[in-house]
Amino acid sequence: MHTPFFDYYNNTTPLILLLCHNKPMRRIAVRGIIVNDNKLLCVKLKPYAGVLQGDYWCLPGGTVDEGESLIHALKRELNEELATDGEIGSLLFINQFLLNDTDHLEFFFEIKNVQDFLELDLSKASHAAEEIAEVAFIDTSKNHILPSFLTEKSANEHLQSKAQVISS
């Protein structure tokens, strides 16, 4: 049986997720790791339906649409949120966690064209006005970032990582 479900980070995009045998629904998402001067580009999300509420930073990205590749989804999300095209690099992390009866599976990729993200004009981003409260390069040791494993290393050290699976 298929059940409509709204994207955790973007309530404007309906998703069709398979729900069977009382297993939790699964949400697949992509995130971009963009590092400049040992700081990580993060966003604070505005409150809207489906978004985890609270005072925290997170990486730009979002839900993979049905039938969409991970790379295409990340390029689309970066463009929608930040009005900038990302050059996708290596897969650095896979994070899996259960939240509100949904199994979340997130793929974190290096973004190689950092210089294109240094001066962002969010007025040109199609989803920024409704989704993004703030965007900045931040120090991972001095800010509350989700997922929390991003605070365990410096931003530069994350780029040296080989793909890791993190389950919380």
Side-chain angles (χ1 to χ4, degrees):
M1 146 171 128
H2 286 86
T3 303
F5 179 75
F6 283 93
D7 179 336
Y8 180 70
Y9 288 97
N10 175 7
N11 66 346
T12 61
T13 307
L15 299 176
I16 304 298
L17 298 175
L18 186 61
L19 179 63
C20 59
H21 307 298
N22 295 325
K23 291 182 181 178
M25 291 185 289
R26 174 166 285 159
R27 174 184 171 270
I28 299 174
V30 287
R31 303 270 170 230
I33 294 183
I34 306 165
V35 176
N36 182 55
D37 211 14
N38 204 26
K39 293 183 179 176
L40 194 58
L41 183 70
C42 292
V43 297
K44 280 194 176 181
L45 300 174
K46 291 181 177 178
Y48 60 91
V51 168
L52 180 65
Q53 301 300 308
D55 185 26
Y56 64 91
W57 292 91
C58 62
L59 297 177
T63 299
V64 176
D65 291 336
E66 187 173 338
E68 186 177 37
S69 74
L70 297 176
I71 301 301
H72 182 268
L74 184 51
K75 288 181 178 184
R76 176 183 51 76
E77 286 288 344
L78 291 172
N79 198 291
E80 289 175 355
E81 292 180 359
L82 305 174
T84 305
D85 294 324
E87 183 183 333
I88 313 301
S90 299
L91 174 64
L92 299 176
F93 303 100
I94 300 170
N95 185 37
Q96 185 171 15
F97 60 97
L98 188 63
L99 178 68
N100 299 329
D101 295 324
T102 300
D103 179 30
H104 295 264
L105 187 59
E106 297 186 321
F107 296 84
F108 295 76
F109 290 89
E110 173 188 9
I111 303 301
K112 297 171 103 175
N113 56 324
V114 175
Q115 68 284 354
D116 295 338
F117 291 86
L118 298 180
E119 294 184 29
L120 298 169
D121 182 358
L122 296 185
S123 70
K124 295 179 180 178
S126 63
H127 290 53
E130 65 188 49
E131 295 179 5
I132 308 298
E134 191 175 348
V135 60
F137 282 95
I138 62 169
D139 184 332
T140 58
S141 67
K142 297 179 181 176
N143 292 278
H144 181 216
I145 304 171
L146 293 178
S148 60
F149 75 83
L150 292 169
T151 63
E152 295 169 4
K153 295 180 181 179
S154 74
N156 284 341
E157 288 175 310
H158 285 304
L159 293 180
Q160 307 306 316
S161 298
K162 296 189 182 213
Q164 300 176 36
V165 177
I166 297 156
S167 186
S168 24

